[in-house]
Amino acid sequence: MKDRVAVVGVGCTKFGDLFDKSYEDLICDAAFAAYDDAKIDPQEINASYLGTYLPGPNGGKAAVSLGDALRLYDRPITRVENYCATGTDAFRNGCLAIESGAADIVLVLGAEKLKDRGGRGLPRLGHPLLAKGNSAPGLFALAANRYMHTFGMGRETLAKVAVKNHFNGARNPKAHLQMEVTEEQVLKAPMIASPFGLFDCCPTTDGAAAAILCRADLAKRFRDDFILVKGYGLAVTTGRPYFDPTFDYLGFRSTQMAAQQAYKMAGIEASDIDFAEVHDCFTWTEISNTEDLGFCKKGEGGRLVDEGRTRLDGDIPINPSGGLKSFGHPIGASGVRMIYECVEQLRGQCGERQVRAPELGLAHNVGGPGAVSCVVILGNN
Amino acid sequence: MVGIAGTGIVGITGWSTYVPRLRLDRRLINQAWGTAQLAGTRAVANYDEDALTMATEAVRALLGENGGSVRGLYFASASAPYWEKQIAAVIATACDLPRRLFTADYSGSARAGTAALIAALRAAQAGAADDAVVAAADVRVGSPESELEGLLGDAAAAVRVGTEQVAAEFIDAESIAEEFTYLWRIDSDRYVQAQPGRFSSQFGYARDLSEAIGALLERNRLSPKDISKLALYSPDARAASDLAKSMGFDPKTQLTPSLVPTIGCAGSAEAFLQLAAVLEGAKPGDWVIVGSFGEGADALLFRVTDAIAQAQPASRLREWIDAGVPLASYERYLKFRRIVEGDEPTEAIANVLEFKELKQDVRLYGSRCRSCGMVQFPIARVCLKCRGRELEDHRLARRGGVFTFTVDHLIANIEHPLIMSVIDLDGGGRIYLQTTDVAADAVQVGTRVTLTFRRLHEGGGNHNYFWKARPVRVRGDA
């Protein structure tokens, strides 16, 4: 499936506390930005995939949430939900539609309105007794504590991830948090769920992002600098790792599997990737993901950070956009937003945060935690 | 007085006690209100504890893995968490006792404990039930600023009644019935009220209980000096001592120390706690009288046997008392009892779900794979490890070690922060639970924990119970 799908347009809203924007506003802003980028007449779109994790009172439920917002009727639209991998999986489904011949041109759009809910973080879901008391930071913290216990890594290394991603985000006008932080600030911030302090956690954010995909042989109709889909992968493991006696909590098998699928499809190895947008919902998650994606061996992700190799000027820049940490994490939107960043980077449009002449970029989400991961590899030739 | 159909003697075959971890220093109440309180501390049930959960702790400590032969479970409390819903059946299920079991709740006063005990002993004498457990627990609440608030204390105890390995033979019992309003709580109120002072103790407590004890002594041709120990409920710090003295007992030698300075007056559990303290120091041949009060009085006479040495519980009352830690503030106590509103998560549990998952969620069973041996929770249909379908129900151990954890400051909860732990259970299986009764910095990888049945959250007009983990506190902690 390598090189059969092209990305010819992307769009992204400002991410943040968008109290004055509705779910429909976000969809329209992202979609029309992508239409403009591709210079496409929306009526040419054959099918759409909407990624939203939490259905809200004002949208995000089913196909109609996208159809009504954009008045995009009389064609297939599907809502995709797959935990934090929702956005990347929506993109993957768009690819499948084109590769199967069912569609020539597809709109993939991820949107999430978290700030309309009030309260703290995400709402409580699931079984009324089992795993009650879990929070998103708490779940990843379970793994972080075990990892740090096993490999002897300290909170200082976690803090360096936050410092780096805030540095990158401060150079990104669409990011939610556009300020730099110091290691000391990160370490002294109030605790959220040990070992994560406030600056180890991504914010709760509103936002939407969109991508226009088409059959690769049609891409030149839209633009010369189109981006090709090189590979993708998705894998699922247990959504209850805390009940799995075989789970070591040192990383996520779903990411390892999804990455292997994507590398195989692309015919490359992890070392061929020039930069990556990696799921850094928490600082530790980025470290563990760089290992699971194969950028280093298990247990060495912290050293990668300590040595500065994941910075913009490092040999494997991670989250040049600022990541979820700084850009924000409107769950269903994040994966598509990462693809947006990859496309802009591969086109060389990122200004101050542009990584050096990249040819292959990778976007990755993990959710659950570890229950589902999705990896997408994009290239510019 | 051997039972008609019994083949041997009837009496107490085992006992256990449970005192919650936290102690409220009464000086904190003084500081808050400027009122005069007694010296010392009172035991305080944690925010997720009530009479049901504490009685469950006591029954589990008493029965351990050995509950199979029990034929009856009696629950006694003046502060049961339900007006209408039988607590004994919930405790029996959480302790994984057999379904074929007689259960009953006794309530209404501190005398409920001895009333249930007499009923169990008489049933055993009649040959109707030769092995039963009587659990008593109370979390009574006095109104803020009242003397009663500091006087009352939270605790539980359980006594096993049977015909095998009897440690204290049941000889006789005497009861008095009389309407006398001393401690009471009307049906629409949450706070216990008291008519304090010498009038109440003299014409209520002392008159009724001394009448019962006197009749017991007379019928069995015993005098106060024949009695080794009295195990008496006392509505205040000195009523039991005054009563003993007035009857010719020596309070110093024949009365176990009052629990008021450490635990507080423990309601239905108090006479059982006193009995435990007596039996934990008893010698064969000792005569023991247990007495309790409430709209009349009960007095029971026991004779300690040679089996007393073998019947000693794994953890003694003294150890539970000594394992207490101070509650940081009086305001926290107000939150624990929902007098001040806390950040309480609410969630209803559908009755159908509760019914469907009773074995998993309350009896706490997982699955064991017949092919590869993997123990897993929740109950599985396909093996997590070998993907086989030959799974059998497996009773999970109630102890284990922390594999990993987090201290969560974000999540809604009455007590902050909330510690969540992943626990590898002894004998297999992994479970993820809220962790309670522990300081935020005390849980580490490898910390030993015991599982405890607690009030998880409120919702749908219901108390929703589930398991939590707590660090092992005393020797032999179940």
Side-chain angles (χ1 to χ4, degrees):
Chain A
M1 301 295 154
K2 180 188 177 186
D3 293 340
R4 289 176 57 177
V5 175
V7 184
V8 293
V10 287
C12 184
T13 68
K14 167 86 176 68
F15 274 30
D17 300 330
L18 307 180
F19 298 116
D20 57 346
K21 295 269 187 183
S22 70
Y23 188 82
E24 290 203 349
D25 288 335
L26 297 184
I27 285 182
C28 288
D29 289 354
F32 279 90
Y35 295 162
D36 288 349
D37 191 43
K39 297 183 182 61
I40 192 175
D41 175 353
Q43 294 311 310
E44 289 187 70
I45 290 165
N46 305 130
S48 292
Y49 292 87
L50 168 66
T52 294
Y53 171 62
L54 290 168
N58 308 310
K61 278 175 71 68
V64 291
S65 297
L66 185 72
D68 274 342
L70 297 174
R71 302 295 183 213
L72 205 58
Y73 299 134
D74 306 323
R75 68 204 80 195
I77 307 177
T78 302
R79 179 188 159 212
V80 177
E81 189 279 299
N82 223 338
Y83 280 152
C84 291
T86 293
T88 28
D89 196 14
F91 183 86
R92 175 181 153 274
N93 274 278
C95 293
L96 292 171
I98 291 169
E99 287 158 2
S100 72
D104 291 333
I105 301 170
V106 167
L107 167 68
V108 175
L109 194 143
E112 202 83 52
K113 202 80 185 71
L114 296 177
K115 288 304 218 179
D116 289 8
R117 295 173 169 271
R120 61 187 99 202
L122 305 175
R124 295 157 58 81
L125 301 167
H127 193 282
L129 299 172
L130 306 183
K132 275 302 151 188
N134 72 78
S135 64
L139 290 174
F140 282 92
L142 294 173
N145 272 327
R146 184 71 198 182
Y147 180 101
M148 292 163 78
H149 170 83
T150 304
F151 293 118
M153 192 179 80
R155 286 191 68 222
E156 296 74 16
T157 303
L158 298 182
K160 287 189 177 76
V161 174
V163 171
K164 168 184 72 75
N165 289 359
H166 273 271
F167 178 90
N168 296 354
R171 282 144 188 82
N172 191 336
K174 289 193 166 167
H176 186 170
L177 307 174
Q178 296 174 42
M179 84 290 190
E180 293 185 28
V181 295
T182 65
E183 202 173 311
E184 193 187 5
Q185 275 177 294
V186 178
L187 291 171
K188 284 190 170 166
M191 266 293 166
I192 300 295
S194 67
F196 301 143
L198 182 64
F199 287 112
D200 289 291
C201 305
C202 68
T204 310
T205 303
D206 297 331
I212 310 283
L213 281 53
C214 72
R215 256 170 46 201
D217 59 318
L218 303 178
K220 270 211 163 1
R221 261 185 53 196
F222 298 99
R223 65 193 309 144
D224 290 331
D225 58 349
F226 55 84
I227 302 299
L228 289 166
V229 178
K230 298 291 180 181
Y232 50 78
L234 182 135
V236 170
T237 57
T238 175
R240 297 163 159 171
Y242 32 80
F243 292 134
D244 178 358
T246 68
F247 181 53
D248 64 10
Y249 271 109
L250 302 179
F252 298 119
R253 212 167 66 236
S254 60
T255 296
Q256 296 158 16
M257 295 292 133
Q260 287 312 312
Q261 292 170 20
Y263 293 145
K264 191 178 170 198
M265 190 188 292
I268 62 163
E269 293 180 358
S271 56
D272 295 322
I273 298 292
D274 297 312
F275 71 96
E277 286 287 307
V278 159
H279 199 87
D280 60 326
C281 46
F282 304 98
T283 47
W284 171 80
T285 323
E286 178 173 307
I287 292 171
S288 149
N289 285 334
T290 56
E291 299 167 355
D292 292 334
L293 292 166
F295 300 146
C296 64
K297 285 188 187 140
K298 185 49 69 187
E300 292 181 357
R303 213 171 70 205
L304 220 60
V305 174
D306 288 336
E307 291 171 358
R309 293 172 56 194
T310 57
R311 295 196 312 228
L312 285 178
D313 56 357
D315 62 305
I316 176 70
I318 302 290
N319 289 321
S321 66
L324 308 180
K325 173 75 263 290
S326 175
F327 204 102
H329 182 29
I331 303 177
S334 280
V336 186
R337 192 280 302 161
M338 289 169 150
I339 284 157
Y340 166 84
E341 175 73 13
C342 287
V343 167
E344 298 242 294
Q345 287 282 355
L346 290 166
R347 288 185 196 160
Q349 296 172 330
C350 289
E352 261 198 285
R353 64 174 201 286
Q354 179 65 47
V355 304
R356 232 170 324 175
E359 293 180 2
L360 286 172
L362 178 148
H364 157 258
N365 289 123
V366 60
V372 53
S373 293
C374 191
V375 169
V376 173
I377 299 170
L378 299 170
N380 54 15
N381 60 46
Chain B
M1 302 279 285
V2 172
I4 302 152
T7 52
I9 62 171
V10 164
I12 294 168
T13 59
W15 68 92
S16 66
T17 51
Y18 175 79
V19 184
R21 170 174 171 264
L22 296 165
R23 304 285 179 274
L24 177 61
D25 191 321
R26 295 187 176 107
R27 280 177 301 190
L28 295 178
I29 309 177
N30 291 350
Q31 283 165 20
W33 300 115
T35 57
Q37 289 277 340
L38 300 159
T41 63
R42 56 154 296 178
V44 171
N46 207 343
Y47 72 95
D48 53 2
E49 293 188 292
D50 61 21
L52 182 159
T53 68
M54 295 201 308
T56 304
E57 284 265 11
V59 174
R60 276 189 48 228
L62 177 54
L63 298 179
E65 306 291 311
N66 180 29
S69 62
V70 167
R71 301 284 306 282
L73 178 70
Y74 299 74
F75 170 74
S77 178
S79 54
Y82 286 91
W83 271 117
E84 181 157 352
K85 178 176 168 75
Q86 198 197 55
I87 308 301
V90 181
I91 296 170
T93 310
C95 293
D96 193 33
L97 297 184
R99 280 171 62 81
R100 293 183 62 176
L101 185 77
F102 174 76
T103 54
D105 284 5
Y106 282 64
S107 64
S109 79
R111 194 151 71 95
T114 47
L117 182 58
I118 290 169
L121 288 162
R122 296 291 190 208
Q125 281 183 327
D130 56 7
D131 192 3
V133 170
V134 184
D138 259 316
V139 181
R140 298 183 299 169
V141 185
S143 61
E145 204 174 345
S146 70
E147 269 182 65
L148 211 51
E149 183 178 43
L151 173 72
L152 302 177
D154 308 332
V159 174
R160 192 169 189 171
V161 165
T163 55
E164 306 283 332
Q165 297 290 307
V166 171
E169 183 186 2
F170 174 57
I171 307 296
D172 198 4
E174 186 63 69
S175 293
I176 305 293
E178 186 181 41
E179 143 67 356
F180 186 90
T181 306
Y182 192 158
L183 280 98
W184 76 97
R185 179 163 66 96
I186 63 170
D187 55 358
S188 58
D189 202 358
R190 67 194 306 189
Y191 301 122
V192 181
Q193 304 181 64
Q195 169 69 53
R198 285 182 63 78
F199 165 68
S200 291
S201 49
Q202 210 172 318
F203 290 92
Y205 173 78
R207 194 172 76 140
D208 290 352
L209 189 51
S210 62
E211 189 178 341
I213 293 171
L216 195 64
L217 290 173
E218 189 185 336
R219 190 163 59 224
N220 291 278
R221 297 197 186 91
L222 294 166
S223 69
K225 65 172 169 30
D226 297 321
I227 303 302
S228 314
K229 289 282 182 188
L230 295 168
L232 302 184
Y233 164 81
S234 182
D236 60 44
R238 49 181 291 193
S241 175
D242 289 349
L243 162 74
K245 197 186 283 179
S246 73
M247 290 193 73
F249 292 95
D250 175 14
K252 282 200 179 66
T253 57
Q254 288 175 293
L255 206 55
T256 51
S258 170
L259 298 173
V260 168
T262 50
I263 294 178
C265 177
S268 310
E270 170 132 334
F272 283 25
L273 294 173
Q274 293 286 4
L275 175 61
V278 166
L279 294 178
E280 281 162 20
K283 299 182 302 297
D286 281 356
W287 291 96
V288 175
I289 287 178
V290 180
S292 142
F293 168 78
E295 290 67 47
D298 291 325
L300 296 83
L301 180 64
F302 293 94
R303 183 120 203 233
V304 176
T305 76
D306 292 338
I308 189 69
Q310 288 75 50
Q312 296 294 328
S315 28
R316 290 167 168 244
L317 176 61
R318 190 72 245 165
E319 295 169 293
W320 285 109
I321 293 173
D322 292 345
V325 300
L327 183 59
S329 72
Y330 170 69
E331 290 80 353
R332 275 207 121 55
Y333 167 78
L334 296 180
K335 249 184 169 182
F336 286 4
R337 295 289 80 83
R338 279 78 171 170
I339 295 164
V340 166
E341 207 174 312
D343 195 1
E344 180 151 35
T346 65
E347 188 160 4
I349 295 176
N351 293 342
V352 176
L353 181 80
E354 188 183 36
F355 165 79
K356 193 166 29 224
E357 297 186 357
L358 202 63
K359 188 161 194 180
Q360 170 186 291
D361 300 341
V362 184
R363 290 187 187 271
L364 204 65
Y365 278 65
S367 300
R368 187 183 166 279
C369 178
R370 289 202 189 99
S371 308
C372 74
M374 167 68 71
V375 176
Q376 48 212 288
F377 180 87
I379 287 174
R381 288 151 199 86
V382 176
C383 176
L384 187 62
K385 192 176 177 191
C386 75
R387 317 289 186 247
R389 295 215 59 189
E390 296 295 311
L391 294 150
E392 60 192 9
D393 289 349
H394 178 86
R395 186 181 195 276
L396 297 177
R398 268 58 170 167
R399 289 180 79 155
V402 170
F403 182 78
T404 188
F405 69 98
T406 185
V407 183
D408 194 324
H409 299 252
L410 181 72
I411 199 89
N413 202 47
I414 288 179
E415 182 75 321
H416 280 110
L418 178 64
I419 303 172
M420 298 294 298
S421 300
V422 174
I423 296 143
D424 280 341
L425 297 168
D426 297 353
R430 180 177 282 184
I431 194 162
Y432 173 54
L433 294 173
Q434 295 185 20
T435 309
T436 190
D437 288 1
V438 63
D441 56 357
V443 171
Q444 297 298 331
V445 171
T447 300
R448 291 292 297 169
V449 294
T450 184
L451 304 196
T452 175
F453 197 63
R454 295 291 170 105
R455 242 155 96 163
L456 190 67
H457 43 63
E458 310 293 296
N462 208 341
H463 308 305
N464 297 314
Y465 294 89
F466 191 58
W467 295 87
K468 294 190 181 187
R470 65 166 174 83
V472 171
R473 276 170 59 201
V474 296
R475 179 176 57 92
D477 198 348

